Amino acid sequence: MEILRKAQNDDKHTRTKSNMPITQSAKKAYRQSVRRAGRNLVRKDAYKKAIKDLRKLVSEKKTDAAKQFLPKAYKALDKAAKAGVIEKNKASRHKSQLAKLVK
């Protein structure tokens, strides 16, 4: 920390950069981006957990449970793709791989 402060103090010719918004519109945009990032994180965690749970069921040789869980994993992937968290093709690729895994 001490080195960082010294480096910041040594550079007198540059303005100090603040990451916090100043204008009203920038403040609102910041609030929106934080809210959206939170939503995206929820969607991302949901689809990753669904994939992990399905793979665990398959590895434990519980094929009936895996077949019943497959639509839930599809739903999580589709929601993530619809929200723009992942690309549509990535969701399709995961769905295809999971279907092949369950067979």
Side-chain angles (χ1 to χ4, degrees):
M1 289 301 286
E2 205 54 47
I3 295 170
L4 182 63
R5 285 191 196 124
K6 187 176 184 216
Q8 288 173 347
N9 290 336
D10 286 347
D11 196 9
K12 296 177 183 177
H13 297 291
T14 59
R15 279 178 51 171
T16 57
K17 294 180 183 176
S18 174
N19 291 336
M20 293 305 294
I22 295 171
T23 63
Q24 195 67 30
S25 60
K27 288 177 183 177
K28 181 178 178 181
Y30 176 74
R31 287 193 309 269
Q32 288 175 330
S33 70
V34 168
R35 202 174 304 126
R36 288 177 183 146
R39 274 192 226 122
N40 288 344
L41 190 61
V42 168
R43 291 268 185 249
K44 189 175 182 180
D45 288 344
Y47 95 81
K48 284 190 169 192
K49 185 178 183 317
I51 289 173
K52 192 186 297 184
D53 290 347
L54 188 67
R55 288 184 189 274
K56 186 177 179 185
L57 287 171
V58 171
S59 69
E60 293 172 351
K61 308 278 192 240
K62 297 180 181 177
T63 54
D64 292 336
K67 285 181 183 178
Q68 289 179 350
F69 190 75
L70 194 60
K72 293 177 185 175
Y74 282 179
K75 185 177 180 180
L77 284 163
D78 288 337
K79 282 188 171 192
K82 184 179 179 182
V85 175
I86 58 173
E87 293 289 324
K88 183 177 74 168
N89 288 349
K90 182 175 181 178
S92 296
R93 185 176 67 245
H94 277 302
K95 286 163 63 173
S96 173
Q97 289 169 349
L98 292 174
K100 204 176 350 177
L101 191 66
V102 170
K103 277 188 177 180

